[in-house]
Amino acid sequence: MLLIYCQELSPRLSYVVNLVFHELLGVKTKITTSQETFNSSQLAKLNYSTEDVESAVSITPGAILFEKGIDKKSINTGSPWYGLPTLLVSGEPEFDPLGMIFFLVSRYEEYGDFTADDHNRFPATESCLYRHNLLEKPIVNKWALRLLEVLKDRYPDLKHSPRRYHYISTIDVDQAWKYTNKGAFRTLGGLIVDLFKGRRAEILQRIRVLIGMEDDPFDTFRWQEDIHHKYHPDVQYFIQVGDRGKFDKNTSADVRAFRNHVVDLDDHYKVGIHPSYQSNKKPHLLAQELQLLENIVAHDVVKSRQHFLIHEMPKTYQNLIDVDIKEDYTMGYSTHIGFRAGIAAPFNFFNLQTNTEEKLKLFPFSLMDITPLHYLGLSVKEAEEKCADLIWEVQDVGGLFISLWHNESVSDDGRWKGWSRLYEYVVATAKGLEVSTPS
């Protein structure tokens, strides 16, 4: 066991100690505010205080874990810490790994003033990790493992059981089909729009699909099943069942073929909710959509990912908590690959407004299908190399690697021509490393 000495207790300190030592490192801990108890103990010891204590590994704490409010903080690059890059809260003289880990995973910077994107989201370019070239590194995992090394150097008998690398493929179903099962009104409307915009190829494709001469391009689920059967990854689907809107275009849940399709996916993988774009502004829609999906699959649904990654701290997560969602998979960026919270592992949501840890577990993804194609402008080969580097980063720290795809992005249709091979490459590479990781 590791005994940690601090001068005062706080909810933030308890939270980050649990995350770092219990969940990432598998080290049992006990916290004490008694220096006498600490000094007399024969356990491995970490001094997290401003006091001088002999025979213990020491970290000088910053202020963040003992504050209760939310203040504007400027983040700068610090001096290397045991060979690793660091970040410092402006004005603090030393790197505090526990404090900075809390800053990153609590998404402290997303509560402050920032320039939002067109969907009112926190952009990657506003993050301190992006600004200091650390976005593509699971730096939280690296700091935690380095702290374990420091402790093991002093206390070789300290027992630990760090996380093992794992891969989850997640797939959002924004539109199960491109043309079929849309109903006469939407089909006619789509044809009129295509005619007005001169989309001859799409008009011909739509007609061929509707008369049965060609498969619907977005109906890639059998191909996905073949890939999953070949490599056996852990797979999670997120289904949108909300009403049609500007950014919500899935087949109506009133359509029997759609309901049957959702049940089939649920039988093989279990599904989560993909709340509509509209629901973030109208929380009552979230409850309605969740109930609808639960009625279709005939069991509770406890996993969620926001459509368009629409997300606002802490409101979005509180909305999910209010409808008993237990796991959310929204933590990531569409424009950049990497680690939005600096971590490649699940962690509990900490609400800075109430200064409390919540039971909602956040599962961060680090790679989205649209990113290498649209935002990075890579070729498929370049994307494979970029994805491999990212996967290796996660495997190296025993982290959780989560990718985000859509059924349409493996369709080889339109802009996705030739990109289905990237999904198979990611699944094969990420799952292959999982299989080769020693116990």
Side-chain angles (χ1 to χ4, degrees), residues 59-252:
I59 294 174
T60 302
I64 191 171
L65 294 186
F66 305 100
E67 297 171 341
K68 295 181 180 179
I70 308 169
D71 300 320
K72 183 175 177 59
K73 296 186 184 297
S74 177
I75 305 299
N76 304 313
T77 302
S79 299
W81 182 69
Y82 296 100
L84 291 177
T86 64
L87 298 174
L88 284 179
V89 175
S90 182
E92 294 189 350
E94 296 183 32
F95 172 60
D96 172 10
L98 298 183
M100 188 49 60
I101 287 172
F102 178 81
F103 177 87
L104 293 175
V105 299
S106 69
R107 305 310 304 129
Y108 199 106
E109 60 190 347
E110 297 191 34
Y111 286 79
D113 295 329
F114 58 85
T115 302
D117 69 7
D118 292 342
H119 298 283
N120 201 37
R121 301 174 299 191
F122 180 84
T125 51
E126 290 282 305
S127 75
C128 63
L129 292 172
Y130 172 83
R131 290 172 174 170
H132 296 291
N133 299 312
L134 291 173
L135 186 59
E136 296 181 18
K137 303 291 183 182
I139 194 64
V140 167
N141 303 70
K142 289 177 179 288
W143 287 335
L145 289 169
R146 190 55 48 85
L147 179 55
L148 177 63
E149 290 177 7
V150 173
L151 289 165
K152 290 286 289 182
D153 283 345
R154 178 68 66 86
Y155 307 106
D157 296 329
L158 178 64
K159 293 182 179 180
H160 60 99
S161 180
R163 294 181 55 87
R164 291 185 60 198
Y165 166 77
H166 182 55
Y167 169 57
I168 302 176
S169 171
T170 64
I171 301 172
D172 292 349
V173 182
D174 297 348
Q175 293 190 74
W177 301 284
K178 187 175 184 179
Y179 301 120
T180 54
N181 298 305
K182 294 293 182 75
F185 179 76
R186 288 182 65 181
T187 298
L188 180 60
L191 277 170
I192 292 172
V193 170
D194 288 343
L195 283 167
F196 181 75
K197 294 189 175 182
R199 297 171 178 166
R200 184 173 181 274
E202 292 208 6
I203 292 171
L204 294 175
Q205 183 186 53
R206 186 189 297 268
I207 293 172
R208 289 195 299 268
V209 169
L210 291 177
I211 64 176
M213 292 181 60
E214 185 177 316
D215 292 335
D216 190 290
F218 288 3
D219 189 4
T220 59
F221 298 96
R222 183 171 295 176
W223 180 87
Q224 294 170 44
E225 177 62 25
D226 290 342
I227 297 298
H228 300 156
H229 181 74
K230 183 177 181 180
Y231 299 105
H232 304 287
D234 188 354
V235 181
Q236 173 70 55
Y237 281 88
F238 295 93
I239 313 295
Q240 188 189 66
V241 295
D243 290 338
R244 181 171 170 78
K246 181 179 180 180
F247 299 106
D248 303 313
K249 301 182 184 299
N250 210 351
T251 301
S252 170

Side-chain angles (χ1 to χ4, degrees), residues 136 333-338 365-388 390 401-406 409 415-423 425-426:
E136 296 181 18
Y333 297 113
S334 60
T335 57
H336 293 70
I337 68 170
F365 71 87
S366 48
L367 170 66
M368 186 173 178
D369 49 14
I370 193 66
T371 313
L373 167 70
H374 180 71
Y375 293 103
L376 300 183
L378 303 179
S379 67
V380 176
K381 181 61 177 177
E382 291 169 335
E384 289 176 347
E385 295 171 357
K386 190 75 169 175
C387 293
L390 191 67
F401 177 70
I402 299 179
S403 62
L404 192 171
W405 248 253
H406 295 77
S409 62
R415 65 177 175 175
W416 295 109
K417 187 70 174 177
W419 281 80
S420 63
R421 91 179 213 200
L422 180 63
Y423 179 70
Y425 177 84
V426 168

Side-chain angles (χ1 to χ4, degrees), residues 293-309:
L293 182 59
E294 290 180 337
N295 289 342
I296 293 172
V297 299
H299 63 74
D300 291 343
V301 172
V302 298
K303 301 183 181 185
S304 177
R305 174 154 58 223
Q306 295 294 111
H307 186 37
F308 268 72
L309 307 180

